Amino acid sequence: MNFNLTFIGQSIAFFVFWWFCQAYVWPLFANILEERKKKIADGLEAGARGQKDLELAQAKATKQLKEVKVQAATIIDQANKRAAQIVDEAKDHAKEEGQRIIVGAKAEIDQEINRAKEALRAQVSSIAIAGAEKILGSSIDQAANEEMLSQLAAEL
Amino acid sequence: MAELADAAHAVAEHGTEVLTVQEYITHHLAYLTYGRFPDGHWGLALTPDEAMEMGFWSVHVDTLGWSIFIGAAFLLFFLYIGKKATTDTPNGMQNFVEMIFEFVDARVAEGFNGKNPLIAPLALTIFVWIILMNTMDLVPVDWITGLASLIGEHVFGLEHMAFKIVPTTDVNITVGMSLSVFALILYYSIKMKGIGGFLSELAFHPFGKWMLPFNLIIEVPTLLAKPISLGLRLFGNLYAGELLFLLIASMLGIVQLPAHFVWAVFHLLVIPLQAFVFMMLTIVYLNAAHESVHDH
């Protein structure tokens, strides 16, 4: 068992390797692990944030859906009202139109009646004269009885 | 290992088995030594006796060389993996290295309370380096040593060239590391507490200043025992393991194959355990060096 210079050589190697390790090897892995730790932490945080965002978005979507339903209901309501209104208007319009047609028809009928009356009136005198002539057996001077005849026609 | 069995048979035929087993083990326990001969010139020792005579002024080329090679290979491999590593999902090798890294980092985090960014790299270096040096024990004892002996004999003309491949079975290697740790203990003790603080810890604990001699008798051996136990524990475990492999290889003939397997499986526990113990004790000792005792 020789105790010799070898142990000094080993001591020198020991310190050189230690220096090399702390200068070049250790920092590499320390940095990598540190970075990965950070990455994982960031990833987890992002995941949590995503989850939260999703929840918020869902809540928002639900809320919007509700609003939209309310709006849709309002619109349908309005549409129904409007439809009823249009029907009512149409009804009124139709009534008016019918009234107008009736009024027009009445007026036409009155006119027809008047016209017929006029025609009758025109013919009454001659019928009266013809009747009187038949009764009297002679002709009546129309001009002489003009006043009486027109009075008669007016009474009709 | 078949070569080994052949060698054992050849040995048996010559009828000198006991001596040869001893020679075999001695050969495997010797180091390839470069040093200063007693006459003053430097060179490779050709026999264990020559290596002995060189005394302190010699270097175990094999164990120190493997130690440096393994340490450099480990650091360069980690550097390579770290350079091409991504912060995304890590793939196979990066995963493996990160696992080791996080394991060591966690041990330092729970064992070291101070704020010294150099301790964790130190623990990583110690842990992986020692594990790899210990793992060389699992390489069958004659593969590399036998190959080196052949090369030594035929290329360099060195008969029975020793070539040890497990650095941690060399007490110089383990004590070299534990003394480095001891130097760090002293350095950080003095740096954190001042020379006075450090000395007062030795002199005034645990019994207060009126019992100073007793305190010194307790504290100084405690301090000195740290590097010695640290280095010798690792050395003893690995040396014993290696020796058992050598005994199995030299004495059991063909039965050595299952015996090697059983011992290797058991040794698989020792290899990381001893590396872990060395790392943990280093962390604990340096933690104590950073913290001052406030009990009086």
Side-chain angles (χ1 to χ4, degrees):
Chain A
M1 205 54 44
N2 283 347
F3 199 66
N4 58 28
L5 284 178
T6 310
F7 93 88
I8 293 176
Q10 177 71 6
S11 298
I12 294 168
F14 178 92
F15 284 107
V16 170
F17 286 154
W18 176 28
W19 167 80
F20 186 85
C21 184
Q22 65 86 20
Y24 298 106
V25 177
W26 187 268
L28 280 179
F29 289 97
N31 289 342
I32 283 168
L33 291 182
E34 194 56 41
E35 256 175 64
R36 184 172 312 125
K37 204 189 275 178
K38 206 169 147 260
K39 247 185 180 176
I40 291 172
D42 288 353
L44 287 174
E45 201 192 328
R49 213 182 315 122
Q51 191 82 29
K52 212 173 150 197
D53 286 354
L54 180 68
E55 275 166 25
L56 284 178
Q58 271 173 343
K60 202 176 164 192
T62 315
K63 199 177 147 206
Q64 277 184 340
L65 204 63
K66 258 185 204 164
E67 281 175 5
V68 166
K69 269 185 189 163
V70 170
Q71 269 183 348
T74 318
I75 288 169
I76 289 172
D77 213 31
Q78 281 179 345
N80 280 338
K81 267 186 202 161
R82 177 83 186 119
Q85 204 182 346
I86 287 169
V87 169
D88 284 351
E89 277 174 10
K91 270 185 191 164
D92 290 351
H93 199 67
K95 258 185 203 164
E96 269 174 33
E97 189 71 15
Q99 206 65 39
R100 223 179 60 218
I101 290 168
I102 290 168
V103 170
K106 270 186 183 163
E108 212 168 315
I109 289 167
D110 285 349
Q111 261 181 346
E112 264 330 291
I113 290 172
N114 284 342
R115 213 177 297 141
K117 273 183 185 171
E118 285 301 324
L120 279 175
R121 253 181 231 132
Q123 285 172 357
V124 160
S125 51
S126 49
I127 290 170
I129 291 170
E133 270 174 355
K134 287 236 174 95
I135 297 165
L136 296 175
S138 65
S139 92
I140 294 170
D141 185 8
Q142 199 175 351
N145 295 305
E146 184 68 48
E147 195 182 343
M148 192 263 296
L149 281 172
S150 45
Q151 204 175 342
L152 182 70
E155 272 167 24
L156 284 171
Chain B
M1 271 184 242
E3 291 171 15
L4 242 186
D6 288 344
H9 282 302
V11 162
E13 280 166 17
H14 285 87
T16 52
E17 195 182 354
V18 173
L19 184 66
T20 321
V21 165
Q22 202 180 350
E23 274 178 3
Y24 174 82
I25 290 177
T26 312
H27 173 238
H28 273 275
L29 291 182
Y31 302 97
L32 179 62
T33 311
Y34 180 89
R36 194 180 67 177
F37 286 93
D39 63 10
H41 82 279
W42 289 72
L44 278 174
L46 296 177
T47 64
D49 290 336
E50 279 185 4
M52 232 22 179
E53 283 165 10
M54 287 175 176
F56 184 77
W57 294 101
S58 58
V59 174
H60 294 155
V61 180
D62 44 6
T63 49
L64 186 59
W66 276 107
S67 164
I68 291 170
F69 170 73
I70 288 167
F74 136 60
L75 285 172
L76 292 177
F77 175 72
F78 270 43
L79 187 69
Y80 168 71
I81 295 293
K83 286 274 188 216
K84 70 181 186 108
T86 67
T87 55
D88 293 329
T89 318
N91 57 9
M93 262 305 151
Q94 191 192 339
N95 230 336
F96 176 68
V97 172
E98 280 182 9
M99 202 179 76
I100 297 173
F101 179 93
E102 288 189 310
F103 172 75
V104 172
D105 200 28
R107 298 292 83 72
V108 173
E110 67 192 26
F112 187 80
N113 303 320
K115 278 203 169 72
N116 190 337
L118 295 177
I119 300 304
L122 176 69
L124 181 71
T125 310
I126 286 174
F127 182 62
V128 182
W129 194 16
I130 292 179
I131 267 202
L132 292 175
M133 288 196 289
N134 290 355
T135 306
M136 293 303 286
D137 213 2
L138 292 179
V139 178
V141 286
D142 272 302
W143 283 11
I144 296 175
T145 308
L147 184 69
S149 291
L150 281 178
I151 292 170
E153 196 171 332
H154 296 290
V155 181
F156 300 108
L158 296 168
E159 216 168 315
H160 297 304
M161 188 187 88
F163 196 67
K164 237 177 148 172
I165 62 167
V166 192
T168 39
T169 58
D170 182 355
V171 73
N172 285 289
I173 298 293
T174 61
V175 169
M177 282 191 291
S178 67
L179 284 180
S180 306
V181 171
F182 185 59
L184 289 175
I185 294 172
L186 295 183
Y187 171 75
Y188 281 117
S189 291
I190 291 168
K191 188 186 172 196
M192 303 307 288
K193 305 162 194 170
I195 187 96
F198 173 57
L199 290 179
S200 77
E201 255 188 21
L202 289 180
F204 303 140
H205 289 95
F207 297 126
K209 58 184 173 180
W210 302 113
M211 301 285 268
L212 189 142
F214 297 99
N215 292 336
L216 283 178
I217 287 170
I218 290 170
E219 289 293 326
V220 172
T222 304
L223 182 68
L224 296 180
K226 285 176 181 174
I228 296 170
S229 68
L230 193 60
L232 291 187
R233 179 186 301 107
L234 179 60
F235 165 72
N237 275 280
L238 270 292
Y239 188 79
E242 174 79 348
L243 197 59
L244 207 63
F245 276 124
L246 291 174
L247 285 169
I248 292 170
S250 59
M251 305 220 300
L252 289 185
I254 197 71
V255 190
Q256 67 176 275
L257 294 177
H260 271 309
F261 176 76
V262 170
W263 182 240
V265 168
F266 180 69
H267 214 55
L268 272 180
L269 298 173
V270 175
I271 286 167
L273 182 70
Q274 287 306 319
F276 179 71
V277 166
F278 199 107
M279 174 188 78
M280 277 320 285
L281 286 176
T282 303
I283 294 170
V284 168
Y285 290 160
L286 288 177
N287 184 46
H290 280 71
E291 282 177 340
S292 44
V293 185
H294 291 296
D295 59 353
H296 71 116

